[in-house]
Structure formats: C-alpha cells, structure tokens
Amino acid sequence: MLMLFAVALMLALLAIGSHVTVALGLVATGLILMIDGVPLTVVAQTAFKSVNSYPLMAVPMFILAGNLMMRGNIAGLIIDLVGSVVRAVQGGLALTVMVTCVFFAAISGSSVGSAAAIGAATIEGLKREEYPARFSAAIVAVGGTLGLMIPPSLGFILIGSIVGLPVDKLFIAGVMPGLMEAAFLLGAVAWMSRRYGYGITTTRADWGGFAKRLPKAGAAVLMPVLVIGSIYTGYLTPTEVSAFAAIYAAILCLLVYRSVTVGGVWTVVRDSVLQTTMIFAVVMGGSLVGFVLARMGVSAGVVEYITGINMSAWQFLLVANLILLVLGMFLDGVAMIVLTSPLLFPIATALGINPIHFAVIMVANVEIATLTPPIGLNLFVMSGIAKLPVHEVVRGVLPFYAVRLTGLMLITYIPAISLMLL
C-alpha cells in the first residue's frame, strides 16, 4: 500500500509540472525516512555514489563532442558528400538525410541532438524539393533516434553505470541492431518516396563531385570510425574514447573547418554542462528510488513472484516491452532507464536472459519513446524546426511505427542480433 501511495504521489508531482528529478528525490527521501535504522545522510551518500562513476564520466565528453560537431555545421558536409551519389535515385535527398542520421548517431549518442542538428541543416532543402512537410519532419525525427542505439550511446552508458555492465560490450552490442534499424528505415523511406513520387532526382550519380568533396569531409567521416574502432579493438575504454572524441571534434571545428570560434566553443561547453547536469540529476534521483526498492525488498519480492508463477523468458520480455512502451508515453529516456533498470534487470537475469541483450531491448524501447506522444521529445524538436503542429509531425511518423516495432520484436526475440559481435 505504501509503495502504491508513493507511485501515485510521484505521478501527481509529474502531472503538476515538477521536474522528474524533484519528483524522484522527494518521494524516495520520504520513503527513506520511514525505513527504520536508515539515517538521513544515506540520501546524500547514495546520490553522490550514483554519479561518482568512471564510466559515467563519458557522458559529458560525448555530449561535448556531439554538440561541437553539430555547432560546426558538419551535417552540411556529410549531406553534400552523400547526396552527390544518392540523389540520383528517387527520394535521394530523403535517403541522404537518413544516412546523415546514421553518421551523427555514431558521434553524438543523443537522439534529440541529432534530430536538431540534421533538421536545421535539411528541412529547407527538403522543402525546396517538394517533399511533404510532415514527411520531412518525420524522417529526421525517426532517423535521430538511431543516436540512442549506435555507439557511442548515452543510454548504454547510463545502463552500464546503474546495473554494473561493461559499457564497451554494451556499445559493441548496439552496432548490429543499430545498423539493422537504419537499413529498415532506409528501405521504408525509399519505398515511400518511390510510391508517392517524393523528391527531385538528378540524371546520374555525381562521382566526380563525390571525389571532390571527400577530402574536405574525410576528417569528419573518420571520426565515427575512430570512435567505434577504438572501442571494438579494446585500445581505449569508452571514457577515454569520449575524451578523444571531444578533443578531435574541437580540432575539426576550430582548426580544420574553422566553423566555430573560440567564443562559440565556450557556448557549446556551457550548453554541454547544463545537459550533463540534467542527466546526472535524474540519475541521482533514480539511484534513491533504486535504494528504496532494494531496502524495502520490493525488487527481491518481484523477482520471487515472477519466478514463482513460472513466467517464461519470452513472456517476461513481452510484458517488459509493453511496460516500457507505455512508460515511454510519459517519461523521457533517461528517466525510463534509471527508474526501470533496478527492477527489470534482476528479473531478466533470474530468468536466464543475457543482461547485455536486455540492455539493447531497453534502449530500443527508449528510441520509440522519443517518438511517442505526448512526451516524445523528437516530435517537439521537429515541430519547432519544421514549423508544424506536433500532431502533423505525429501523422508523418505514424508509418514508421510499424518499422520500429518490427525492429523491436526482432531485437527482443533474436538475441544473436545483439550478441554476434561479442
């Protein structure tokens, strides 16, 4: 009964507009005060311990690297390079946008950031080529979600820090699912463009233009190769790679392309610190909730109940997906991860599910959450950039839900997709 009241109170705080960190912290602190023998100092100790994590230090560096690349207008270089050859087919510019989303996914780790950068660089071009406005907004919103799956992924860093899984293995596990999702989305965009006659095509691929643009864009294209390659080979840890990525991005934007001034770098650093602070605040609030669940025996009780009713692994995965999809309507990705990880991972482990595979399933659900109203952040980002009502962006995204749900089911019930590179 006490836990039900706590959940109702947290939902009420969120409903009146309280930040998720405030809601989590207040409810968890209140419950801690009701537990006998637990001093109030535990609140500060638990919160500090949750962010005093070496793997979690990769978060601010990857955010900084992604923000620098976005501020430096790298999207324009990639669009020009890829578009040289891809725009010779029907829907070429839309396909170019999706390929650019894959590129930014491999450097930013952020869904919203990728959508914002690519949307700002492509919406006007898509409009000039007479793509429907809601289709244009939808492909950027959907493509931006790949930033959560393709490494470096902030979602995997959070899960690894909370659950204690190796972040490098989580990154590697996200490569094939991310590429599969990208292939599905490219196929959907190509099919829709051909069926409805979207876009203006050129007569042939401009390989000469591609060769001319490659030297200039080559340094940017090399960045995701270096990041993923360093992690896969084990040459650098994810935290070390994050620092390398930030330095590399700064050199590109300041010295190679000269697209960002020193003053601009300071602005990017300030924005990155603010974004990191918000993420860490949610992590601290979630850690308090996790402490309460463990101390009150809720986590152990749920595990015992699930194993007691002989729920099979496939049934649990179906239920977990349904829970995460519903939560995605009301919570952002960070809040979803920090709230559900302490509860769902012990159950998955007890049922014999590989925890790395389950982490990929969770991130796939978070991807869909960024597209799910009424909270889906990518919908609001593209609504602002494309100057469309949110419901119009949702209508554009609707055909892609089937693609994302198909990908989720394949990831869920074919573990080899996630684990083949480990």
Side-chain angles (χ1 to χ4, degrees), residues 24-338:
L24 293 174
L26 286 177
V27 172
T29 301
L31 291 173
I32 289 173
L33 291 174
M34 297 178 187
I35 301 175
D36 293 334
V38 178
L40 190 59
T41 54
V42 167
V43 174
Q45 293 170 350
T46 302
F48 175 75
K49 184 179 178 181
S50 68
V51 294
N52 186 28
S53 163
Y54 178 71
L56 205 58
M57 291 303 101
V59 171
M61 290 293 100
F62 277 130
I63 289 176
L64 177 59
N67 286 345
L68 283 168
M69 297 291 276
M70 293 169 194
R71 181 69 178 262
N73 195 31
I74 305 301
L77 293 174
I78 303 303
I79 290 167
D80 290 340
L81 177 68
V82 177
S84 301
V85 293
V86 176
R87 292 179 68 177
V89 302
Q90 185 72 49
L93 181 55
L95 292 170
T96 299
V97 170
M98 194 60 69
V99 172
T100 306
C101 288
V102 176
F103 169 82
F104 265 84
I107 61 173
S108 71
S110 167
S111 171
V112 174
S114 296
I118 297 167
T122 59
I123 285 296
E124 287 302 317
L126 289 164
K127 182 179 179 180
R128 285 194 297 271
E129 295 202 6
E130 301 176 1
Y131 286 89
R134 66 188 183 197
F135 176 77
S136 302
I139 61 174
V140 179
V142 175
T145 64
L146 296 172
L148 291 167
M149 181 65 74
I150 297 175
S153 162
L154 300 186
F156 284 135
I157 296 173
L158 290 176
I159 291 173
S161 300
I162 294 169
V163 184
L165 295 173
V167 177
D168 55 346
K169 290 188 176 181
L170 292 175
F171 278 0
I172 294 170
V175 172
M176 293 309 297
L179 293 177
M180 180 193 73
E181 291 175 337
F184 284 179
L185 292 175
L186 283 166
V189 169
W191 180 81
M192 293 176 68
S193 297
R194 181 175 292 275
R195 176 168 181 175
Y196 299 111
Y198 292 160
I200 301 172
T201 62
T202 58
T203 55
R204 59 186 176 82
D206 183 12
W207 288 105
F210 180 87
K212 183 178 179 180
R213 295 182 178 98
L214 183 58
K216 184 175 182 181
V221 173
L222 188 62
M223 182 174 178
V225 176
L226 293 174
V227 169
I228 297 176
S230 297
I231 295 171
Y232 187 75
T233 59
Y235 186 73
L236 296 175
T237 67
T239 304
E240 291 168 344
V241 168
S242 70
F244 165 77
I247 295 171
Y248 188 89
I251 292 173
L252 284 184
C253 296
L254 277 171
L255 302 179
V256 178
Y257 299 126
R258 298 182 180 179
S259 53
V260 177
T261 64
V262 174
V265 170
W266 170 248
T267 302
V268 170
V269 170
R270 182 193 62 194
D271 293 342
S272 301
V273 169
L274 292 175
Q275 293 172 30
T276 302
T277 301
M278 288 188 288
I279 292 173
F280 278 18
V282 176
V283 171
M284 287 191 289
S287 71
L288 294 175
V289 173
F291 173 83
V292 169
L293 292 176
R295 189 61 184 249
M296 297 181 71
V298 175
S299 300
V302 172
V303 172
E304 184 178 350
Y305 173 76
I306 295 296
T307 54
I309 63 174
N310 294 321
M311 179 180 285
S312 64
W314 77 265
Q315 291 172 326
F316 166 73
L317 289 174
L318 179 61
V319 171
N321 278 328
L322 291 174
I323 292 172
L324 291 169
L325 288 172
V326 172
L327 287 177
M329 299 172 63
F330 307 103
L331 296 173
D332 63 39
V334 175
M336 279 179 62
I337 289 172
V338 299

Side-chain angles (χ1 to χ4, degrees), residues 131-139 386 388 391-397 400:
Y131 286 89
R134 66 188 183 197
F135 176 77
S136 302
I139 61 174
L388 286 175
H391 70 270
E392 284 294 314
V393 182
V394 173
R395 289 181 63 186
V397 170
F400 294 98

Side-chain angles (χ1 to χ4, degrees), residues 366-380:
V366 174
E367 287 182 298
I368 297 174
T370 62
L371 301 170
T372 307
I375 302 297
L377 295 179
N378 281 21
L379 303 176
F380 289 93

